[in-house]
Amino acid sequence: MTGILIVFPKAEDGKSIRNLLVRHGYDVAAVCTLGSQVLNSIDMMNSGIIISGYKYPDMYYGELAASLPEGFEMLLLASARICAECADPDIVCVTMPLKVQDLMSTLEMMCMNQMRRKKKLRSQPKKRSEAEKRILREAKEVLMERNRMTEEDAHRYLQKCSMDSGTSIVETAQMVLAMIRL
């Protein structure tokens, strides 16, 4: 699940930003006042954007940014001085006082980047573990031996059964092996 989290030391500042985003069609997962609340909230998410002030009671924005897992980006809303001091190239800055159009266009750009990253990850072939490769190899060998299939035919058969049943090809291979061992 992708989401937007807002973290500001004053809850009313965070709620104001949330209300602004909701009016512009964005879904906000949570408004937090502590960096630790953000870290707890992202445990349930795959990716997202953290809209942040520069300082919270328990940490600074840099500490939070360093603690974010892969797939999360930070949008820092701070004074021009703080933004100029921000040395992290992965943190996007918007200066205060806030211009609504600047915030919306920056957030839209970040959301597009998130969507591109997800699409790229989906298009990459899955990396199989050695155990998964072994299961696939064994299932293909069984199909080749018992049904006189070529390796290519056995692989296509596993793929088709996988798609028809809505399971992964490895799960299908495990089912083939389980049926043979009965």
Side-chain angles (χ1 to χ4, degrees):
M1 179 173 89
T2 300
I4 296 175
L5 291 165
I6 299 172
V7 57
F8 280 89
K10 294 182 183 173
E12 57 272 7
D13 291 344
K15 288 176 183 173
S16 296
I17 299 288
R18 179 196 60 206
N19 294 340
L20 178 67
L21 296 180
V22 168
R23 280 196 306 271
H24 283 85
Y26 290 96
D27 186 29
V28 176
V31 176
C32 305
T33 55
L34 301 171
S36 57
Q37 290 173 326
V38 172
L39 295 173
N40 287 335
S41 296
I42 63 174
D43 283 344
M44 296 172 273
M45 302 167 73
N46 298 326
S47 60
I49 298 170
I50 313 300
I51 299 177
S52 167
Y54 85 98
K55 179 182 171 187
Y56 339 108
D58 60 343
M59 67 179 78
Y60 285 90
Y61 75 92
E63 295 170 281
L64 178 59
S67 302
L68 295 176
E70 183 82 23
F72 286 87
E73 296 180 75
M74 180 176 278
L75 173 57
L76 175 65
L77 304 180
S79 68
R81 181 183 62 81
I82 298 293
C83 287
E85 291 173 1
C86 178
D88 190 334
D90 294 329
I91 298 176
V92 178
C93 297
V94 173
T95 58
M96 299 290 271
L98 186 63
K99 294 183 180 111
V100 174
Q101 189 55 43
D102 288 350
L103 175 62
M104 292 302 127
S105 61
T106 304
L107 189 55
E108 184 176 336
M109 175 198 65
M110 292 177 79
C111 288
M112 297 287 272
N113 285 340
Q114 290 264 321
M115 287 173 33
R116 265 194 297 277
R117 185 179 303 118
K118 278 185 182 177
K119 188 175 181 181
K120 185 178 177 184
L121 286 173
R122 276 196 305 268
S123 68
Q124 291 178 344
K126 284 192 172 180
K127 305 279 188 244
R128 299 203 194 285
S129 69
E130 286 304 315
E132 290 173 328
K133 289 177 186 175
R134 182 184 48 76
I135 291 167
L136 282 171
R137 190 172 45 252
E138 286 177 19
K140 284 192 270 186
E141 287 170 2
V142 165
L143 290 169
M144 289 162 53
E145 180 183 314
R146 294 200 176 201
N147 299 350
R148 293 176 176 54
M149 294 179 165
T150 65
E151 183 179 2
E152 191 176 301
D153 290 339
H155 187 77
R156 261 192 297 225
Y157 176 79
L158 289 172
Q159 282 180 320
K160 180 165 181 4
C161 290
S162 167
M163 289 189 295
D164 290 347
S165 64
T167 59
S168 74
I169 194 168
V170 175
E171 290 172 313
T172 302
Q174 288 171 327
M175 286 187 267
V176 165
L177 292 172
M179 290 172 69
I180 298 304
R181 291 180 183 139
L182 288 178

